[in-house]
Amino acid sequence: MIPVDDSPIIRDGKSLILAYDHGLEHGPVDFTDVPERMDPETVFDIATHDAVSAFAVQKGLAEAYYPSYEDDVNLLVKMNGTSNLWMGEPDSPVNCSVDYAAEIGADAVGFTVYSGSNHEVEMFEEFRDVQEKAREYDLPVVMWSYPRGQGLKNDTSPNTIAYATRIAHEIGADIAKVKYPGSQDAMELAVKAAGATKVVMSGGSKTSDEEFLSTVNSAMNAGAKGLAVGRNVWQREEPAHILDALEELIFNGKSVEAALE
Amino acid sequence: MIPVDDSPIIRDGKSLILAYDHGLEHGPVDFTDVPERMDPETVFDIATHDAVSAFAVQKGLAEAYYPSYEDDVNLLVKMNGTSNLWMGEPDSPVNCSVDYAAEIGADAVGFTVYSGSNHEVEMFEEFRDVQEKAREYDLPVVMWSYPRGQGLKNDTSPNTIAYATRIAHEIGADIAKVKYPGSQDAMELAVKAAGATKVVMSGGSKTSDEEFLSTVNSAMNAGAKGLAVGRNVWQREEPAHILDALEELIFNGKSVEAALE
Amino acid sequence: MIPVDDSPIIRDGKSLILAYDHGLEHGPVDFTDVPERMDPETVFDIATHDAVSAFAVQKGLAEAYYPSYEDDVNLLVKMNGTSNLWMGEPDSPVNCSVDYAAEIGADAVGFTVYSGSNHEVEMFEEFRDVQEKAREYDLPVVMWSYPRGQGLKNDTSPNTIAYATRIAHEIGADIAKVKYPGSQDAMELAVKAAGATKVVMSGGSKTSDEEFLSTVNSAMNAGAKGLAVGRNVWQREEPAHILDALEELIFNGKSVEAALE
Amino acid sequence: MIPVDDSPIIRDGKSLILAYDHGLEHGPVDFTDVPERMDPETVFDIATHDAVSAFAVQKGLAEAYYPSYEDDVNLLVKMNGTSNLWMGEPDSPVNCSVDYAAEIGADAVGFTVYSGSNHEVEMFEEFRDVQEKAREYDLPVVMWSYPRGQGLKNDTSPNTIAYATRIAHEIGADIAKVKYPGSQDAMELAVKAAGATKVVMSGGSKTSDEEFLSTVNSAMNAGAKGLAVGRNVWQREEPAHILDALEELIFNGKSVEAALE
Amino acid sequence: MIPVDDSPIIRDGKSLILAYDHGLEHGPVDFTDVPERMDPETVFDIATHDAVSAFAVQKGLAEAYYPSYEDDVNLLVKMNGTSNLWMGEPDSPVNCSVDYAAEIGADAVGFTVYSGSNHEVEMFEEFRDVQEKAREYDLPVVMWSYPRGQGLKNDTSPNTIAYATRIAHEIGADIAKVKYPGSQDAMELAVKAAGATKVVMSGGSKTSDEEFLSTVNSAMNAGAKGLAVGRNVWQREEPAHILDALEELIFNGKSVEAALE
């Protein structure tokens, strides 16, 4: 574990990670309603908002655009990721080495682990290699901790999400990104299970401002240390508006109502 | 991402890649109507045409003939490739190391990725190794981005081809070679999805001069940066004729009719 | 084999290993009745008890808390471990390298081997790598020797447990952690089969003080050199109480009754 | 591609490879009629005949006998090879490293590739490693190019054998050893498909002198550069007799009748 | 091939290997009738008998006891080995590296190959790595050559055992340990098939003195160079008695009757 609070991706102990790997994970359909956001430059621009403490992209986008944004964006290189074109037990190829991520300027690395998949053994071991190498570079490690696979029926049950944060803690993630488990109590359990690992809520698919902020608020009240959000920001017409609100809510401790003003 | 525009395989921001790996991928049947083209020397000769900015061959042909053509041909070593003798989910062995490609004079490397195949995970990871090593040598990386496998029904639908170009961009290809998705609009979508990655159209099986050039023209109008073509050049009796036309169309911006004159 | 008696995890030839990897192996359910023990700090505190000669945790917990406890706790890094979310033949990912375990201060390493699993071949080979590398650091190797898999019906039969200790000896473990095989005679067989490898009894799920200590006593009488215990300590309201008793029983040779006073 | 004509295994641009790996590939049954030839020394003696430009054996035989024959025999170490005791898709373990082959004095290396097998991908990649390492030692690479596996019905059809020679050329073999495709025309196709790679005919099972030499003659007329023969030499009572004839036919250009005199 | 006759495990060109890896391969049942022999020290003592030219044990036993016996015992480290708790095609994990075997004082290494198993390809390649590394240390390589798996019905037929010795020779073993193929003639075939590789008979399960010595005698008459024996020695009440007889028979050329006196 590294003193992650000293990392640029953390501000006052909290983090707002803007994620933009949907082009790989979901394909062009995620841009149907916001075609201009298919251009990574538009979302790099959004990531310059003060509220965003880290911007998570795959290697290819980092290589192409980060050099123009290195003063204004903290780069979180997402190390693995897959298309949704194939079928089978969840797995995710490692698309970037830590050495290369460091070379292109990463401030942190991200890694998806599908615990419960028949590929869990392999993914844990890939995570080990990434985590230990990241330690050499003092790069915080964010785990997308997503239980998924033939053995799991309801992947957002309280115990499953608490198991997800605990796994992240046990095998050495600094930050665990998990889905909202449905209630503030369940999120509290997940935060406790996480021990010294910080928990950030996964933003999920797009909802209304109020609904989204309420959930974030509930997660923060439960002890989460922030948010990793993609579609709920960049699929919006005015991303700055929701980012302003998130900044008030997450970093300045305002209520949902006050944040939305 | 490297400044691919400075590479010899790019001319005025565009590229015409002549591909000649069909002996491996398809076997001798591709030469039935043009038996003399089975001799690689005849196609290396074609590749000396000014319109050709890169010549894509497997390692064995590069080793044997490139030393005699190194002043007149830009070498793109195709790194993986397979016979069509076996059955099963699409996959492609890596037949050449980047170190060796560089040693024999490669100006760029090419790599096929069958997204959607059950072997996608493995192929992405092989691509990663090739891509990062190629960066060390400043060699542009061209991805033959071909979604294929049990999960895919129509592999040239607009969304599939746009997904193909996006994958190439996300995981770090400089140039994405994709099939023509059937319309100029669909090609525009694919070009937008590609972000900073250049898109070149895949030539496909042999058609008439008019039909072929019209498709190329449509792709160029959609924002494609060139063409990767094999059979539509070297299966023709007079390859120089179609290459003359392609040069006018791609590099000099002429219309199909003017180019064909 | 290293002179394990000189290791800090051994005291007078015996060892009491406190294990706390249940958050990974079993998930949050193991903390339902003792929610405060979900916080690793509370169990690190327990591990400072004099009776505890080694504290077994996964890498993540070691990284986060061991720096504050290095004067009071002997660290045994558990090298592999898996969630129970997936199904299939028993296997366990290697979550930590020996180099890294040594770097974070390990006094010993632990490794689970599921002999009898279809993954036995792979697990033996992973054990080999860990064992030989641990030798370079003079770190004792503790094998969680748990026959399990499609070929095994009763995994605590006398012959199975004796086979388990023998396997640990044959492939080079310093200490074998095995389940209690049901009787003192069976434990004697297991101890004899272990040759020069020390046998420690696995604590198992929580039972009453008397029942638990009686079993430990029987194992010690059979020649076991100690205990590796988790839930029977940290799931108790007063862990110090049972640790006091275990210290008397294991290290001071007292009877169950005397130890419980 | 290396200047294979300068290699000791080539004489006037041609090669006669005596192969003796049948003990591994077929087992003792191949020696039933010539039991004395089970002793490798007897076949090393045969290999000293002037007509033999290379002697192909597995590592074990090379280690044991080649030191006594290094002045009189050119050593071709066969790198992979398997028993016929198991069933399943064709595959072949790599039994020798190139470094070790070079250390024990190899003048060339041989490698079997079963294109069309479900293991084609793996075999191509093993071939890559061997080929590139052999380049470092300037050792010619001979591919036993044998399409075989579930996807192939007739493995000596003209197109299959031409595909076999082409594969050898595409992925970098200096010499392709293929089965005779049934006619001189088909062999011509295979030779053309091979490009700069030399083609040698595989000797196959034992036939009469006339039949065997006629086939060799037909292959030579078709442009083959020699022969790789085993049983048709060392299963004969007087191997020197057929080697005399082969020398006349292959190296001195005599007719079958003249060669047999 | 190394000059194995100069190795300490060979005496006058012959070898008597005492094998004691049954604790791993068979488990505690092999000690049921001789419980004291479960203690490796008792069998190390037996191995100090002059007749024993090498003592074959797994790494764990070598580490623990060999330091006390290094003046009186020649150590043969058995490199692979498995429990019999699992089911499936024969395979055997590699439990020791050659570097480590050398470090702990090995005079030779042993390796099981199950030709005919679906894992033959993998086992041959593991054997290759062990064999080539052993060459660096000048350690003789003994192959336990045991055809076994779905493709084999009778694994001690004359042709199968001759194939087993030939495989050992072809891929580079110095000594092949095979089962007795049922007759002196069949053993002669196996010895001939072995070429320069020495053949030693595998002792098998315990039989009477006369029956056992007669079989050994027949093997020696057939050209075998010794014996690898386990249970027929250490399952006996007086191992020294049978070792005295074996010494007379194997090294001093006495008849069965004379040896038994």
Side-chain angles (χ1 to χ4, degrees), chain D residues 112-173:
Chain D
T112 297
V113 170
Y114 296 127
S115 302
S117 163
N118 287 346
H119 296 293
E120 181 186 304
V121 168
E122 176 190 343
M123 297 190 85
F124 273 33
E125 297 189 343
E126 291 170 338
F127 178 78
R128 172 201 65 211
D129 288 342
V130 164
Q131 194 257 12
E132 295 189 3
K133 185 57 101 170
R135 291 289 181 256
E136 294 181 19
Y137 288 102
D138 283 332
L139 294 177
V141 178
V142 183
M143 187 192 290
W144 272 234
S145 193
Y146 287 177
R148 192 177 293 181
Q150 68 166 25
L152 284 159
K153 294 198 194 88
N154 177 0
D155 66 358
T156 57
S157 74
N159 267 343
T160 297
I161 298 302
Y163 207 160
T165 62
R166 185 65 175 204
I167 286 167
H169 184 36
E170 294 266 344
I171 67 175

Side-chain angles (χ1 to χ4, degrees), chain A residues 132 135-136 138, chain C residues 63 66 70 75 77 96-106 137 139:
Chain A
E132 297 190 1
R135 291 287 180 258
E136 294 181 20
D138 283 331
Chain C
E63 285 182 311
Y66 182 64
E70 58 188 359
L75 179 64
V77 177
C96 188
S97 72
V98 177
D99 286 331
Y100 193 68
E103 190 181 323
I104 61 178
Y137 289 102
L139 294 177

Side-chain angles (χ1 to χ4, degrees), chain A residues 20 23-28 38 58-61 63-65 82-87 93-97 100 126, chain B residues 1 116-118 120-121 124-125 128 131-132 135 150-152 159 162-163 166 169-172 192-193 195-196:
Chain A
Y20 182 62
L24 177 60
E25 299 279 346
H26 302 170
M38 194 178 260
Q58 290 280 330
K59 173 214 273 182
L61 274 62
E63 285 181 312
Y65 304 94
T82 180
S83 84
N84 66 13
L85 294 169
W86 57 284
M87 298 179 266
V94 183
N95 298 319
C96 188
S97 71
Y100 193 68
E126 291 169 338
Chain B
M1 201 137 211
S117 163
N118 288 346
E120 179 186 305
V121 168
F124 274 32
E125 297 190 342
R128 172 201 64 210
Q131 194 257 12
E132 295 189 3
R135 291 288 182 256
Q150 68 166 24
L152 285 159
N159 268 342
Y163 207 160
R166 184 66 175 204
H169 183 37
E170 295 267 342
I171 67 175
K192 276 187 186 140

Side-chain angles (χ1 to χ4, degrees), chain E residues 19-205:
Chain E
Y20 182 63
D21 58 346
H22 306 72
L24 178 59
E25 298 280 347
H26 302 170
V29 296
D30 272 19
F31 305 106
T32 303
D33 295 336
V34 284
E36 71 280 13
R37 299 286 153 72
M38 194 177 260
D39 178 358
E41 208 161 359
T42 65
V43 187
F44 265 91
D45 284 339
I46 295 169
T48 63
H49 189 289
D50 273 357
V52 178
S53 56
F55 187 40
V57 289
Q58 289 280 331
K59 175 215 272 183
L61 274 62
E63 285 182 312
Y65 303 95
Y66 182 64
S68 307
Y69 291 87
E70 58 188 358
D71 294 337
D72 303 307
V73 167
N74 295 319
L75 179 65
L76 189 165
V77 176
K78 183 75 198 312
M79 307 301 278
N80 58 355
T82 181
S83 84
N84 65 14
L85 294 169
W86 56 284
M87 297 179 269
E89 274 291 283
D91 196 0
S92 189
V94 182
N95 299 319
C96 188
S97 71
V98 176
D99 286 331
Y100 193 68
E103 190 181 323
I104 60 177
D107 295 298
V109 294
F111 199 95
T112 297
V113 171
Y114 297 127
S115 302
S117 162
N118 288 346
H119 296 294
E120 180 185 306
V121 167
E122 176 191 345
M123 297 190 85
F124 274 33
E125 297 189 343
E126 291 170 337
F127 177 79
R128 172 202 65 212
D129 288 342
V130 164
Q131 194 257 13
E132 296 189 2
K133 186 57 102 171
R135 291 287 182 258
E136 293 180 21
Y137 289 102
D138 282 333
L139 294 177
V141 178
V142 183
M143 186 193 290
W144 273 233
S145 193
Y146 288 176
R148 193 177 293 181
Q150 67 167 23
L152 283 159
K153 295 199 193 86
N154 177 359
D155 65 359
T156 56
S157 75
N159 267 343
T160 297
I161 299 302
Y163 206 160
T165 62
R166 185 65 175 204
I167 286 167
H169 184 36
E170 294 266 343
I171 67 176
D174 300 297
I175 299 174
K177 173 179 185 273
V178 292
K179 293 192 178 173
Y180 186 72
S183 73
Q184 186 168 320
D185 280 0
M187 196 55 158
E188 269 179 37
L189 180 69
V191 168
K192 276 188 185 138
T197 295
K198 286 178 196 291
V199 177
V200 296
M201 191 191 98
S202 184
S205 54

Side-chain angles (χ1 to χ4, degrees), chain B residues 135-154:
Chain B
R135 291 288 182 256
E136 295 180 20
Y137 289 102
D138 283 331
L139 295 177
V141 177
V142 184
M143 187 193 291
W144 273 234
S145 193
Y146 288 177
R148 192 177 294 181
Q150 68 166 24
L152 285 159
K153 294 199 193 87
N154 177 0

Side-chain angles (χ1 to χ4, degrees), chain B residues 20-21 23-29 31 38-40 58-61 63-65 81-87 91-97 100 122 126, chain D residues 1 115-118 120-122 124-125 128 131-132 135 147 150-152 158-160 162-163 166-167 169-173 189 192-197:
Chain B
Y20 182 61
D21 57 346
L24 178 59
E25 299 279 347
H26 302 170
V29 297
F31 305 106
M38 194 178 260
D39 178 359
Q58 289 280 330
K59 173 214 274 183
L61 274 62
E63 284 182 311
Y65 303 95
T82 180
S83 85
N84 65 13
L85 294 169
W86 57 282
M87 298 179 268
D91 196 0
S92 189
V94 183
N95 298 320
C96 188
S97 70
Y100 194 68
E122 176 191 344
E126 291 170 338
Chain D
M1 201 134 210
S115 302
S117 163
N118 287 346
E120 181 186 304
V121 168
E122 176 190 343
F124 273 33
E125 297 189 343
R128 172 201 65 211
Q131 194 257 12
E132 295 189 3
R135 291 289 181 256
Q150 68 166 25
L152 284 159
N159 267 343
T160 297
Y163 207 160
R166 185 65 175 204
I167 286 167
H169 184 36
E170 294 266 344
I171 67 175
L189 180 69
K192 276 186 185 139
T197 295

